[in-house]
Structure formats: C-alpha cells, structure tokens
Amino acid sequence: MLTMNRRRIMLGAVAGTAGALAGAPFAPAALAQDARPPAGNAGLYRFRIGEIAATVVSDGVIGGPPRVYAGDAPEAELEAVLRQAFLPTDFMTLNLNTLLLETGGRRILLEAGAGTTMGPNGARLFDNLRAAGVSAADIDLVVISHTHPDHVGNLSTEAGERAFPNATVMVPRADWAFFVESEPDLSYMPVPPEFRQRFAANIKRSVEPVARHVEFYEAGAELVPGLSTIVAAGHTPGMAAFLVQSGNDQLLLTADLAYHPVVNIDRPWRPGPDRDGETAAAARRRIFDRAAADCMLVLGFHFPFPGLGRILRTDTGYAWVPSGWQF
Ligand SMILES: [Zn+2]
C-alpha cells in the first residue's frame, strides 16, 4: 500500500540499527546538538505493543467549556461530577496524544495533532518528537482518524508547506468529501458561529499542502500489516478508531469516541460536536463493549496524558481504569 523510495528505506534501517545498538531510548548523538527538550515535564511516553515500539507523543492541550464535551448532561449533575473529580467546572482540558509506531524500519504517526489551530497550548509535537530522537522528515506515514483541526493541524507548517515532507498521509474518504471538498454545514456544533468558521477554515488550510499526497481509506480496512481501522462514524461521517496488533498484544486508539473519561466513559454523556448522535452512540457502545470484553489496552487521544488505560463494563455502563506508569 505504501510506496517508499530506496533512500527512505535505508534511512529507516540505519536509524533502527542505531537505536537497537544504543539500547537506550534517547536521541542518537547526531540529533543531540539541536535537541531542545521541551520545557516542563516529558511529553512522550514509551511502551511496546508486541514487536512494535510505541510512543505517545504529546502535541500539548486544548480545551473549552465542559458543556461542549458532555452535550446532554444535566447542568447540576455535570457540575457535581466535575467537582467530584477535582476538575474545574468552567473549563475542561483535553490532551492531544498522538501515537508514534516504529516497526520494520518504518515510522508511522497516528493523528497529527492540533498545532496552532485550536489555541496557544498545542504545537508541542515537533519538540516532543525531537526529544524522542525523531524528526518530521523521518515520518513515513501519518494516519488521521477524522479531519477535525485538532487531528490534522500539524500537517501544514506556518508557511503552508508539508510539515512531514516524506510522509504519505492517509485520511478517511468520507471526511475528506465532507470537510475538505465541500462547504460543510456545521450548525450542529454547540459553539459560536465564529468558532465554526475558524474550525472549517483551519481544516482546509491544514490539509492543503498534503492534498496531492493524500491516500484515502474506508474505516474498517487494514492499512498496513498490524494497523487496522474500525468503523467509528457518527462524530464525523468517516471517523475511524485504530487497532494496532502485534503477537498477542493489541492497542485500541479511540479517536474522539470519548473526549474525557470522566464525562464520556464513567458517565454516558455525549460529546456535543457529534454530527450524528445516534450513530456515534452506537459506535461508542459497540467499540467500548469490545474493548471491555477483550481487556484491550486503550489510548484516548484526548485523555489525561499519556492516555492509556482500560475500559471496564459495569452494571450501569462503563468505567475508565488508567494504566500505571511504566518506567
Ligand atoms: Zn479531537
């Protein structure tokens, strides 16, 4: 499915060897000179999925009024639940947990992150990739779950060029048709009209430089060996969840089936920006039930960093159980 030229295959192989020889998860010496570690705490988290080296790479955070992310929650209950979780009642922070997969000399990034499209606290991806010893030019493939700005924002540089110059970008076809090829009616989104306009314009601007390099997929397809997509439409017309498998290990990346576990898993409230609420709710149940039945490791793109945990089936619904930190 992927076309890779010889030079890129060799680069991948060399980088893979250097990493294995060093035996340590730090940047190779050649990268150390320009490696500016991001300020504050680490924005990357390494783990394994069978033979695949996986790293959650943060693009920072976005957020907004909790009401947006729990569209059908009764006001008093929403406030009580947020207080009980020691969360602010006037603002909900959402993380941007992209996932880097390194396998067979190839580097795959799941989700591109928001960049500067959704406020001043995104656009940490490239610093954090650098801290992981990876440059934007090293990425061979970027797979997008759906084309909202917080998932495609980093595809374009500020100058309007391809931010990942050597990467194929894969996008669900139905989202491209809806958000990119047409002027979508976003009146279903519970946000002010100016926000909607900016939102729509930011999508087009972010994907413009990759338009000639994009490959489309239908949710449900296997994209590369070990990486499958699961139909999760409803939030957007084409949204996919990702299933990464290697040996007996698997990881489910839930995209925007849930924004925050406190309101969308522990409570059954629906994300306000779901375009088709009924279809989205059915996808949520179907995929959460599967995750719970198989005790899958789950990565929530917007969950508190690093966003890993499991979904438990309870008598009344579901519960989020975060994974312990691995040193
Ligand atoms: Zn999102």
Side-chain angles (χ1 to χ4, degrees):
M1 167 140 310
L2 287 174
T3 51
M4 285 172 67
N5 65 36
R6 190 176 299 266
R7 191 181 68 85
R8 278 161 60 197
I9 290 169
M10 283 178 61
L11 279 177
V14 169
T17 307
L21 283 177
F26 296 112
L31 285 165
Q33 280 182 335
D34 65 348
R36 290 177 296 117
N41 291 317
L44 57 104
Y45 183 79
R46 295 175 191 274
F47 63 107
R48 293 198 76 84
I49 308 160
E51 296 293 306
I52 301 171
T55 309
V56 179
V57 185
S58 175
D59 188 41
V61 296
I62 58 172
R67 157 69 48 217
V68 172
Y69 310 117
D72 56 348
E75 193 61 50
E77 243 185 282
L78 175 58
E79 214 177 296
V81 161
L82 293 170
R83 283 189 201 287
Q84 208 170 51
F86 299 99
L87 291 171
T89 56
D90 58 346
F91 191 87
M92 180 161 258
T93 296
L94 303 188
N95 278 254
L96 300 163
N97 301 320
T98 76
L99 183 65
L100 174 69
L101 303 174
E102 297 177 86
T103 174
R106 185 186 270 181
R107 293 192 175 93
I108 302 169
L109 187 66
L110 303 186
E111 311 284 31
T116 56
T117 63
M118 303 273 282
N121 297 315
R124 308 288 200 271
L125 175 66
F126 297 103
D127 277 350
N128 286 323
L129 276 174
R130 200 177 298 117
V134 176
S135 78
D138 294 332
I139 304 292
D140 301 297
L141 173 65
V142 181
V143 189
I144 304 295
S145 69
H146 66 296
T147 61
H148 278 175
D150 52 315
H151 298 251
V152 298
N154 281 316
L155 290 176
S156 173
T157 65
E158 285 301 311
E161 285 162 354
R162 292 165 78 195
F164 302 96
N166 299 315
T168 301
V169 176
M170 298 191 78
V171 174
R173 181 181 295 281
D175 267 31
W176 192 270
F178 182 75
F179 288 105
V180 182
E181 292 177 338
S182 59
E183 295 302 326
D185 176 3
L186 300 182
S187 56
Y188 64 90
M189 293 181 70
V191 291
E194 318 82 73
F195 185 99
R196 277 181 224 140
Q197 279 168 13
R198 221 167 40 239
F199 190 91
N202 276 334
I203 293 171
K204 289 190 164 71
R205 197 167 52 77
S206 300
V207 302
E208 206 278 326
V210 302
R212 284 187 298 118
H213 308 274
V214 82
E215 280 186 22
F216 299 114
Y217 70 87
E218 309 280 348
E222 183 179 53
L223 304 185
V224 294
L227 172 61
S228 304
T229 58
I230 299 172
V231 176
H235 184 63
T236 66
M239 191 171 87
F242 298 124
L243 184 62
V244 184
Q245 286 176 294
S246 174
N248 293 325
D249 286 359
Q250 51 183 357
L251 171 92
L252 174 73
L253 198 164
T254 52
D256 284 10
L257 285 174
Y259 279 119
H260 196 293
V262 164
V263 294
N264 306 129
I265 296 183
D266 298 341
R267 302 288 158 145
W269 298 324
R270 297 179 180 186
D274 283 356
R275 177 163 177 267
D276 176 344
E278 290 306 315
T279 306
R284 203 167 294 126
R285 277 195 301 274
R286 174 169 42 83
I287 295 171
F288 285 4
D289 281 348
R290 181 175 169 187
D294 292 353
C295 299
M296 281 177 172
L297 183 62
V298 171
L299 172 61
F301 179 71
H302 289 301
F303 294 3
F305 180 83
L308 292 163
R310 286 181 171 75
I311 293 173
L312 192 69
R313 195 83 176 86
T314 66
D315 291 344
T316 53
Y318 305 96
W320 176 248
V321 184
S323 290
W325 187 275
Q326 292 174 23
F327 288 92

